Amino acid sequence: MQWLIVSVGMKIMIYGEKLFKKLMILSKLIEKNEWSIRDLSWDIGLDIDLVKKLLKELKRNYLLELSPGKVIWNPSDNPSTIKPWGWRIIHKLVLGSTQISARGYGPWSIIIAEYLVSAYGRHKKTWKTGLGGLWLTITVSLKPEQAIYVPIAIPIILVRILDSLYNIEARIKWPNDIVINGKKLAGVLIEASAFPNYFLTYIGLGINVNNDPPVGEAVSLKKLIGLTPRNRLLATIIGWMSKIKKIVEEPEDLMENYIKYLDTLNKWVIAETPMGTVEGLAVDVESNGALVVLTSDGKRHVLEPSNVYRLRIKE
């Protein structure tokens, strides 16, 4: 949340004030799914007519049921209501980054926030979250030889989930973005802390569910199928994550499916790297996930995900 206070004559304007008020309402709905609007107004200290107006706006991004005097947040949309066996769920209103917060919890933890103020992706690129999305980090404990396949496994899992739950044919944009007709639906960020015999692997997911993405090259589930309960998607992801150790023990099967779903192969790409721009045809993926690009002069370039700041597909 960015605040900008501007003084114009004797008037002070605070940009971001409406978002803050919406977050005040959400904080109460996280505590308790059902409120009388009058009590909610008193509890947060906002005029009842303003509360009603803000609830109508929040209804665009959350499964809220509004009656003249009551608001109910459908439990199927509130991550605090999920209690999966063997997992610890921490549901926060606002965080800087779920990736950073996850360092404070042990393995088999899931950190979820309704809004992030310091969200980042690969190469620490900042990005904006919106109310109604699914922003989370899942922490798992894996052996080093298992952890190396997580960046390939996670996008495959997401593609399969989208197909099974919503009959949506998603694809993978190298290295691990999830796209629908070229528009980004979800991003994946994998980080890890190394210990003597295992890695704590932090699986960061940003999924456009019921939020309104601020950029034209992104899409949300809301736009594709309408408002949808986030807990159905979250519970399915958790179910797959419970099997992650078994999934990553089959690297050949993973690579076969990764290539099957990869939208980048056989397309002309432009990659920005520390050594300059590489432009050519994406012809293959190596076992470690590196993209092989053949330039027009016949040179073969092997691009590691960690060395590509940005990759675009040339239309």
Side-chain angles (χ1 to χ4, degrees):
M1 190 192 323
Q2 292 184 342
W3 290 79
L4 176 61
I5 303 177
V6 181
S7 177
V8 182
M10 297 297 292
K11 185 177 180 181
I12 294 179
M13 296 181 291
I14 305 178
Y15 294 90
E17 186 175 344
K18 180 185 282 191
L19 172 62
F20 182 74
K21 291 173 181 176
K22 287 182 178 180
L23 290 170
M24 290 171 66
I25 292 174
L26 280 174
S27 70
K28 295 303 173 181
L29 290 171
I30 288 174
E31 292 176 8
K32 186 174 68 172
N33 277 12
E34 183 175 334
W35 283 82
S36 83
I37 296 177
R38 182 194 62 184
D39 289 348
L40 182 59
S41 166
W42 289 347
D43 201 271
I44 61 178
L46 292 178
D47 180 79
I48 192 168
D49 289 331
L50 175 59
V51 171
K52 289 178 180 178
K53 179 181 177 182
L54 293 174
L55 284 170
K56 286 181 181 178
E57 292 185 12
L58 283 168
K59 199 171 184 293
R60 300 170 190 166
N61 305 107
Y62 292 95
L63 296 181
L64 301 182
E65 300 169 22
L66 298 179
S67 63
K70 184 183 293 185
V71 56
I72 300 173
W73 188 12
N74 193 314
S76 68
D77 193 43
N78 180 355
S80 291
T81 64
I82 287 190
K83 308 295 181 185
W85 185 85
W87 290 90
R88 180 184 184 187
I89 290 189
I90 298 92
H91 182 203
K92 299 282 190 177
L93 178 67
V94 179
L95 282 175
S97 162
T98 57
Q99 288 289 95
I100 294 174
S101 181
R103 267 65 173 177
Y105 300 92
W108 315 111
S109 298
I110 303 170
I111 317 300
I112 305 168
E114 293 301 323
Y115 193 83
L116 301 177
V117 298
S118 301
Y120 65 90
R122 291 190 312 115
H123 304 291
K124 301 297 181 182
K125 292 180 182 176
T126 59
W127 53 278
K128 293 182 180 293
T129 62
L131 299 181
L134 199 53
W135 324 117
L136 68 152
T137 295
I138 302 168
T139 305
V140 296
S141 175
L142 296 170
K143 296 176 183 178
E145 61 270 23
Q146 295 172 322
I148 60 174
Y149 295 109
V150 170
I152 293 175
I154 298 304
I156 295 171
I157 288 171
L158 291 178
V159 167
R160 289 180 171 175
I161 289 174
L162 291 167
D163 182 35
S164 65
L165 292 186
Y166 312 112
N167 197 28
I168 291 175
E169 293 186 6
R171 304 280 287 172
I172 302 169
K173 178 188 173 186
W174 185 89
N176 49 28
D177 282 346
I178 305 302
V179 296
I180 310 288
N181 297 323
K183 292 191 174 184
K184 184 172 178 177
L185 180 75
V188 178
L189 177 64
I190 310 297
E191 297 178 316
S193 297
F195 294 88
N197 299 314
Y198 67 96
F199 279 5
L200 273 185
T201 305
Y202 309 106
I203 303 167
L205 302 178
I207 307 173
N208 296 324
V209 184
N210 296 323
N211 57 305
D212 300 301
V215 291
E217 58 266 24
V219 70
S220 67
L221 286 177
K222 183 178 81 168
K223 188 166 185 178
L224 296 170
I225 60 173
L227 283 175
T228 186
R230 294 180 301 164
N231 283 0
R232 185 185 182 204
L233 175 58
L234 177 58
T236 307
I237 291 172
I238 294 170
W240 277 89
M241 290 300 102
S242 298
K243 302 180 289 186
I244 190 66
K245 286 186 176 182
K246 184 176 180 180
I247 292 170
V248 295
E249 286 177 351
E250 301 176 1
E252 291 183 4
D253 183 61
L254 281 175
M255 183 53 62
E256 180 181 340
N257 282 284
Y258 181 76
I259 291 174
K260 172 185 173 183
Y261 295 128
L262 193 61
D263 192 48
T264 311
L265 278 184
N266 302 314
K267 292 187 176 179
W268 200 264
V269 300
I270 303 172
E272 298 174 14
T273 77
M275 303 303 293
T277 301
V278 175
E279 183 174 341
L281 186 67
V283 295
D284 198 9
V285 177
E286 297 197 337
S287 60
N288 64 351
L291 185 68
V292 179
V293 174
L294 193 65
T295 56
S296 55
D297 59 3
K299 290 184 178 179
R300 185 176 182 271
H301 297 260
V302 179
L303 305 179
E304 303 282 350
S306 59
N307 287 329
V308 176
Y309 299 135
R310 186 186 179 202
L311 182 131
R312 293 179 288 121
I313 295 174
K314 190 173 183 180
E315 300 296 334

